[in-house]
Amino acid sequence: MKLLLNINQVDHELEIAPGDSLLKALRSLGYFGVKHGCETGDCGACTVLLDGKPVNTCNLLAAQAESHRIETIEAVGQHPEQGWKTTAGLHPLQLAFVESGAIQCGYCTPAQILAAKELLYRNPAPTEAEVREALSGVLCRCTGYLKPVQAVLRAAAVLRGEAPEGITEQEWPFLPEEPGKGGPEIPFSPTPYLNPSEPQTLSRVMPRIQVTPRAMSWSSVGKPEPKVDAIKLVQGKPAYTADFERRGLLVAKVLHSPLAHARIKHIDASRARELPGVAAVLTWQDIPRVVYSTAGQSDPIPGPLDAFSLDNKVRFVGDRVAFVAAETEEIADQALKLIDVEYEPLPILLDPAEAMQPGAPRLHDEPEYVNFAESDPARNLAAHIRIDIGDVEKGFAEADYIFEHEYEVPKVQQAHIEPHVVITYWDEDDRLVIRTSTQVPFHVRRILAPVLGLPIKRIRVIKPRIGGGFGGKQEVLVEDVAAHLTIATGRPVIIEYSREEEFTAARSRHPMRVRMKTGVKKDGTLTANAMYALADTGAYGCHALTVTGNTGHKAMALYIGDGPYRKAPNIRFYADVVYTNHPPAGAYRGYGVPQGYWPVERHMEKIARQLNLDPLEFRLKNALRAGELHPFSTAWSEGREPRPETVETCGLEECVRQGKAVIGWDQKFGNPVWRESTGSSHLRHGIGVAMVMQGTAIPYLDMGGASIKMNDDGSFNLLVGATDLGTGSDTVLGQMAAEVLGVPLEDILVYSSDTDFTPFDKGAYASSTTYISGNAVARAAQLVADRIRWRAARMLNKLAPAGVAQLGPDDLRLANRQATAPDGRSVSLSEIGHHALHHADQEQIMGVASYMSPVSPPPFAAQFAEVTVDIETGQVRVDKLVMAVDSGVIVNPITASGQIEGGMTQALGYAVCEEMRYDEAGHAREVDLRDYHIFQAHEMPELETIFVETFEPSHPFGVKAVAEIPMDGVAPAVGNAILDACGAQVDDNPVTPEKIWRALKG
Ligand code: FES
Ligand code: FES
């Protein structure tokens, strides 16, 4: 049918199918700022203004929008300078989102801005609660909403003609460190929001930071620079994988298994192939049978090879049965229904304890299966870990008390708002281009080459902007589907998962049952600590060994004991990672560590309470300290050879000191008056803590590279293989280059990542980018800086009058876009760049470097939580989360605090509401973002981040990881706060009202 749509005041005539959504129509016209995140109207990513009101376009028919005014992000504002033409510039909302750090992956940003624009039009002076309400229809999985809310309040002030709160250095709550003493304690200020219907967040852009003196003299590193990609994202530019047009693009769909375990007896795709508009249908009989692992990890993959693009057996509801490519999505859907499959059902295994019993049906009986280390498919074991440090039985024998208990953690989803999406095509050189939303472009290329029957050199992987990943895109999940279909048809192909497919056929966090056994002396000294984890990897063993290994490696390393036990700790970590007929688990931010800290920190709380010990002092007494050996460093290293590693920096004690002051621990903990000071007899306040540590990269394994070249205006191209999935890594890598080269960040043009053009990088995982890739960037920048100084010395010497001392390269300092000599003579970088390329001894000034780390310096944190529990209903409200973090030096306080806020928010879902559940036939109960609840803007507690800097000596800028550690402590801190409030001991998260109510009933 023909349709006339008025979009941004321009009429567009288009031909659509009657059932086409407005989202589809807008994107077909090139309005790529309108995003797809679901099909059910739950995420809000597809928001536009229809006659000035925000509407979801995914579930609105395009025909319904005729005769209405449609406004998209593309009309809100533009870059102010466009060559000889200037524009009105960005809208104050867009500017505020850029300046406030409200954009992480940016996938939700256009929708948030449009929703806020409507709010400010009808209400120029909204309260924070009104802003939160207006943003509540747009889900954001990255930010925790704090900075978007601040951005809207800031823009509102600008539009009213008022001066907004500044983001200047003077206003940062810097607390200079006193050597040897830490910083002055941050004063406790009672939370200003005691009424639960009032706003939940302090309106502050910057986090509190206790800075190391060394970092205070830098001009780019340590500063709140806006993200380098923010300007394009705030305009809704076509930056993501699916924002791409190519003639003849076919749409791919996957036929998923309706059964949890079955053999495919017979499959007939002939009816589907005959359907007009179908370009290809592929079954397991049509493509080569190549075994591989979908885990996006370095070579050799530390896990079994147990997957095929298509197999003659299905192992979970959602497993792949066939691929279809067709001219339209509707034809592809129709074709799926025409594929005839005869299944032979097999017994279903959903309980990992039963699945590993002798005689249990075997999930992986394929002869091609490749074992890695301790996997044993005959027992349905994807991995098997046995680590003993010291003499654990002797430690138990020396204890005065033994505490033993079992805990459970659920399967949860990454729920990035941009689904998995890939476009493949042959280029003019007959090379296969894979444009994909991935965290691991170089691993995609290496892993898929044998699967597709192509040499690595004939594959190019391009990673555009990513709309969130959180580990879910550290998986080679659907790249092969599109690639096989492009090979079969010779045509470009797009595959984009629906939200239901994300829940049923993507990856998740491993659920685990964990048993703790701990020996303790009367004075609170730990004598031995043991954990057994039974993990469910689902149908495939992707990340099975490494995720579960990290459960012990990070969570069981924190508490080593005191006195003689500090020098010789007794720690045991055993784990079995078992195949079942659940959808596969995989990588999810935190990578096994949140599963470990729920039991460890709930257990520590129980011990402290039963022995009447102060929970903070008890933990710190036994916690790892700077200068000590990481206890697991000699025992385990992701399936590789372990090597001893000393922890050089640990700010945990200072984190506890600052965090407890901010949350008012001394005023609240153990105070019955405060506990009952709710104004209602059925409500109770509670406060809880958890201490955590993570790692920074994988030592002796993962490597990142960087190259920098100088341009003739003194700007630089920084090319990195590192993958910014919304974290701001492009920005912090640019800041490090800018610091070394003495230029502002705007002179560093960052590009990531394309396997043809950027150096290799292992990708974005293991909290490694700032550390590993940052080290590579600093080294490459140093090479370039050395060459610039050499040329600058020559240029200045040539100009110097006779008798003036000759300068050497080391005499020159790079700052403010100049190379400056001690006597004040200087030459600008633009003169040097121009000179190098055009005038004398011409050369391209550039540097290439890479870095692999021999260590994995752990960040530490103290996580505090405050809750209110209704003891009659079990309802719990989390009122405040405070996290004090030692992540080394903070390169960018705004992006780093955004990581903490967003991480705490995801972890809050893990604490109280997120869980993927299945019926007895293995069908998922949660298949959309309505049933699987992630926090919305108006539901958030107050969030507060404190950075306690230390200087990690193994990095030129002293950094450690920041991205994963906020996932670790929220759940146990909330669980401990609930215990504190009402005595409800719930050992399996999420801690739902029903569980609390049952615990209270006894
Ligand atoms: S894409 Fe429309 S609400 Fe999710
Ligand atoms: S910034 Fe909101 S979903 Fe990523």
Side-chain angles (χ1 to χ4, degrees):
M1 62 186 276
K2 271 204 178 357
L3 198 67
L4 188 69
L5 293 180
N6 183 276
I7 306 164
N8 301 333
Q9 301 184 357
V10 177
D11 283 337
H12 293 267
E13 206 175 78
L14 68 164
E15 184 78 40
I16 61 157
D20 279 357
S21 68
L22 181 56
L23 171 65
K24 186 173 177 187
L26 289 170
R27 288 186 63 86
S28 75
L29 290 169
Y31 292 96
F32 289 122
V34 195
K35 302 298 183 199
H36 163 241
C38 70
E39 304 74 34
T40 47
D42 294 317
C43 77
C46 61
T47 298
V48 300
L49 298 182
L50 193 72
D51 297 331
K53 298 280 173 220
V55 295
N56 290 334
T57 55
C58 64
N59 54 5
L60 182 74
L61 291 175
Q64 291 175 290
E66 199 172 47
S67 312
H68 295 276
R69 279 180 298 113
I70 301 166
E71 183 179 346
T72 71
I73 191 72
E74 283 85 353
V76 173
Q78 297 173 44
H79 195 292
E81 296 154 17
Q82 301 185 351
W84 48 263
K85 185 177 127 190
T86 51
T87 74
L90 296 174
H91 187 278
L93 268 166
Q94 291 172 305
L95 273 176
F97 268 66
V98 171
E99 291 165 354
S100 305
I103 304 164
Q104 286 193 29
C105 81
Y107 202 73
C108 67
T109 302
Q112 284 186 333
I113 288 174
L114 289 168
K117 188 165 182 257
E118 188 270 339
L119 168 72
L120 299 189
Y121 179 75
R122 65 181 154 80
N123 180 0
T127 64
E128 182 175 329
E130 287 165 338
V131 172
R132 287 182 172 277
E133 193 57 43
L135 296 185
S136 65
V138 183
L139 294 179
C140 176
R141 192 57 160 169
C142 303
T143 62
Y145 303 102
L146 194 150
K147 289 181 168 60
V149 169
Q150 291 164 343
V152 178
L153 292 170
R154 188 177 169 81
V158 171
L159 286 165
R160 291 194 303 269
E162 298 166 12
E165 188 186 350
I167 311 173
T168 66
E169 204 164 327
Q170 289 69 38
E171 292 172 68
W172 300 0
F174 265 177
L175 298 168
E177 183 188 46
E178 294 172 44
K181 290 197 204 151
E185 197 173 83
I186 295 169
F188 164 59
S189 52
T191 177
Y193 307 123
L194 292 176
N195 180 344
S197 63
E198 284 296 298
Q200 303 92 332
T201 299
L202 294 173
S203 293
R204 187 193 303 120
V205 171
M206 291 291 293
R208 299 171 195 262
I209 307 182
Q210 179 178 296
V211 292
T212 60
R214 217 163 142 181
M216 294 188 85
S217 60
W218 292 331
S219 53
S220 187
V221 168
K223 301 294 182 282
E225 301 276 10
K227 284 183 69 195
V228 293
D229 52 356
I231 298 280
K232 74 174 160 223
L233 299 180
V234 87
Q235 297 174 80
K237 294 272 178 169
Y240 299 87
T241 298
D243 304 344
F244 184 78
E245 290 166 298
R246 199 161 178 101
R247 187 169 298 185
L249 188 65
L250 294 167
V251 178
K253 290 277 174 184
V254 175
L255 180 66
H256 296 285
S257 168
L259 300 178
H261 199 190
R263 211 167 282 285
I264 296 173
K265 275 174 78 176
H266 182 70
I267 186 163
D268 180 1
S270 53
R271 288 196 303 143
R273 289 190 178 111
E274 283 160 15
L275 185 71
V278 170
V281 181
L282 300 176
T283 72
W284 69 273
Q285 293 150 323
D286 302 308
I287 57 175
R289 189 171 167 80
V290 180
V291 73
Y292 72 112
S293 169
T294 58
Q297 295 181 281
S298 290
D299 184 70
I301 298 271
L305 307 188
D306 57 6
F308 303 88
S309 279
L310 287 166
D311 196 2
N312 57 5
K313 193 176 180 185
V314 289
R315 298 176 179 85
F316 67 97
V317 174
D319 209 349
R320 300 147 158 220
V321 177
F323 307 151
V324 167
E327 301 295 339
T328 67
E329 191 176 349
E330 292 70 28
I331 297 171
D333 280 331
Q334 253 182 295
L336 293 182
K337 295 187 188 120
L338 296 175
I339 301 171
D340 297 313
V341 190
E342 192 183 340
Y343 296 99
E344 176 196 338
L346 297 169
I348 301 172
L349 291 168
L350 296 176
D351 183 335
E354 285 171 19
M356 64 188 283
Q357 292 306 315
R362 185 171 166 172
L363 263 75
H364 286 277
D365 51 3
E366 62 276 9
E368 298 90 344
Y369 187 99
V370 177
N371 197 4
F372 179 87
E374 302 285 331
S375 51
D376 181 359
R379 294 174 55 215
N380 286 325
L381 277 182
H384 169 81
I385 302 166
R386 297 291 183 264
I387 299 169
D388 278 293
I389 298 163
D391 187 337
V392 174
E393 294 308 327
K394 184 165 166 280
F396 285 139
E398 290 165 0
D400 294 321
Y401 307 99
I402 299 286
F403 291 87
E404 214 169 345
H405 208 82
E406 195 164 302
Y407 304 85
E408 203 164 332
V409 288
K411 190 175 178 76
V412 289
Q413 244 273 323
Q414 295 87 348
H416 30 78
I417 306 299
E418 181 201 42
H420 287 85
V421 54
V422 178
I423 295 172
T424 52
Y425 54 91
W426 290 113
D427 72 7
E428 61 278 17
D429 292 317
D430 293 314
R431 295 175 72 237
L432 185 74
V433 180
I434 304 177
R435 180 181 162 92
T436 174
S437 180
T438 180
Q439 293 173 227
V440 285
F442 286 88
H443 293 339
V444 167
R445 186 177 64 163
R446 185 192 88 248
I447 290 168
L448 279 192
V451 174
L452 302 176
L454 286 167
I456 284 177
K457 66 186 176 192
R458 284 192 61 201
I459 299 175
R460 174 182 173 193
V461 178
I462 300 172
K463 179 238 35 118
R465 291 290 96 188
I466 304 176
F470 316 119
K473 293 174 182 171
Q474 197 200 334
E475 200 75 12
V476 188
L477 191 74
V478 285
E479 286 86 352
D480 63 315
V481 179
H484 281 303
L485 289 165
T486 285
I487 290 172
T489 62
R491 288 178 58 180
V493 173
I494 181 169
I495 180 163
E496 185 169 20
Y497 259 5
S498 66
R499 187 53 56 183
E500 181 170 344
E501 285 175 303
E502 287 293 328
F503 279 105
T504 56
R507 301 296 184 250
S508 57
R509 193 182 293 293
H510 291 73
M512 294 185 193
R513 271 175 238 157
V514 181
R515 174 157 280 276
M516 296 289 305
K517 182 176 176 184
T518 306
V520 195
K521 294 265 192 205
K522 283 188 184 127
D523 69 351
T525 302
L526 297 192
T527 61
N529 203 13
M531 174 188 277
Y532 170 71
L534 178 62
D536 180 352
T537 189
Y540 299 97
C542 26
H543 301 271
L545 173 78
T546 44
V547 160
T548 311
N550 273 293
T551 304
H553 185 275
K554 307 290 188 298
M556 288 295 282
L558 181 57
Y559 297 116
I560 56 175
D562 202 11
Y565 301 99
R566 184 167 283 287
K567 292 214 168 0
N570 302 311
I571 302 173
R572 172 176 292 158
F573 176 64
Y574 288 0
D576 292 306
V577 194
V578 184
Y579 288 119
T580 69
N581 294 114
H582 282 129
Y588 181 4
R589 190 177 187 180
Y591 208 75
V593 186
Q595 291 99 310
Y597 274 112
W598 171 260
V600 165
E601 282 298 309
R602 299 307 319 281
H603 202 61
M604 290 298 144
E605 188 72 16
K606 270 185 198 155
I607 295 171
R609 283 174 181 265
Q610 287 190 29
L611 299 185
N612 214 13
L613 299 167
D614 178 274
L616 300 177
E617 283 170 18
F618 166 61
R619 285 174 168 90
L620 285 175
K621 174 183 171 64
N622 291 291
L624 193 63
R625 295 175 190 158
E628 293 174 338
L629 191 73
H630 187 304
F632 277 70
S633 65
T634 51
W636 188 83
S637 180
E638 307 225 350
R640 272 86 174 180
E641 185 198 345
R643 306 186 209 207
E645 183 181 334
T646 300
V647 174
E648 299 289 347
T649 56
C650 174
L652 184 59
E653 208 171 319
E654 187 63 16
C655 288
V656 171
R657 206 163 75 85
Q658 300 292 359
K660 81 186 241 227
V662 167
I663 202 155
W665 179 270
D666 291 340
Q667 293 84 346
K668 295 170 182 172
F669 183 72
N671 178 350
V673 177
W674 174 75
R675 188 173 297 131
E676 296 184 18
S677 65
T678 58
S680 301
S681 61
H682 59 101
L683 299 180
R684 297 285 183 277
H685 285 319
I687 190 166
V689 68
M691 296 182 200
V692 293
M693 64 182 267
Q694 260 280 350
T696 304
I698 306 169
Y700 290 106
L701 177 65
D702 282 336
M703 185 273 280
S707 80
I708 301 178
K709 78 174 172 68
M710 188 179 198
N711 297 315
D712 32 15
D713 62 349
S715 67
F716 300 87
N717 292 104
L718 167 61
L719 303 184
V720 286
T723 310
D724 187 341
L725 56 153
T727 54
S729 65
D730 281 0
T731 306
V732 299
L733 296 178
Q735 284 179 261
M736 291 188 213
E739 188 68 49
V740 176
L741 294 165
V743 297
L745 178 60
E746 66 185 76
D747 288 358
I748 306 289
L749 310 167
V750 188
Y751 182 71
S752 71
S753 42
D754 179 328
T755 55
D756 266 16
F757 299 117
T758 59
F760 175 88
D761 193 287
K762 79 281 165 232
Y765 58 84
S767 288
S768 60
T769 305
T770 309
Y771 183 76
I772 294 275
S773 314
N775 227 316
V777 167
R779 287 168 176 226
Q782 199 55 55
L783 294 173
V784 173
D786 289 347
R787 197 64 189 166
I788 290 172
R789 277 194 286 262
W790 174 83
R791 183 167 283 269
R794 282 190 63 196
M795 291 167 75
L796 288 171
N797 287 338
K798 207 164 182 183
L799 294 171
V804 172
Q806 293 282 290
L807 293 166
D810 293 344
D811 296 324
L812 293 162
R813 186 172 156 264
L814 300 186
N816 302 321
R817 296 175 166 142
Q818 312 261 347
T820 307
D823 60 9
R825 282 180 291 155
S826 68
V827 56
S828 73
L829 295 202
S830 60
E831 289 171 289
I832 297 168
H834 199 76
H835 188 262
L837 292 176
H838 304 288
H839 286 173
D841 297 328
Q842 286 93 326
E843 63 172 328
Q844 171 65 68
I845 295 180
M846 67 184 298
V848 182
S850 54
Y851 187 71
M852 184 279 310
S853 176
V855 292
S856 174
F860 294 87
Q863 175 73 59
F864 294 87
E866 196 177 306
V867 302
T868 304
V869 180
D870 185 326
I871 55 173
E872 288 177 2
T873 64
Q875 288 289 339
V876 60
R877 188 186 72 229
V878 178
D879 299 315
K880 182 164 182 167
L881 295 173
V882 173
M883 189 170 191
V885 194
D886 160 24
S887 286
V889 170
I890 298 302
V891 179
N892 186 322
I894 289 195
T895 58
S897 56
Q899 288 295 298
I900 301 294
E901 291 150 13
M904 282 199 282
T905 305
Q906 286 181 15
L908 185 58
Y910 195 51
V912 297
C913 60
E914 293 186 30
E915 184 172 14
M916 300 169 80
R917 296 167 304 165
Y918 298 85
D919 67 16
E920 62 286 348
H923 294 102
R925 292 185 193 273
E926 288 80 17
V927 295
D928 58 41
L929 288 167
R930 193 163 304 163
D931 286 340
Y932 189 88
H933 186 77
I934 67 175
F935 271 78
Q936 294 171 268
H938 65 297
E939 300 170 318
M940 289 297 300
E942 185 182 339
L943 303 175
E944 184 133 12
T945 302
I946 304 160
F947 289 119
V948 173
E949 290 192 345
T950 55
F951 195 97
E952 168 54 39
S954 60
H955 190 280
F957 292 111
V959 309
K960 298 194 281 188
V962 72
E964 291 184 288
I965 196 165
M967 298 301 297
D968 298 341
V970 172
V974 167
N976 292 340
I978 291 168
L979 177 68
D980 183 59
C982 64
Q985 185 68 265
V986 180
D987 293 323
D988 53 327
N989 67 326
V991 187
T992 59
E994 184 185 337
K995 290 180 191 170
I996 297 172
W997 181 75
R998 288 195 187 285
L1000 287 173
K1001 276 182 70 181

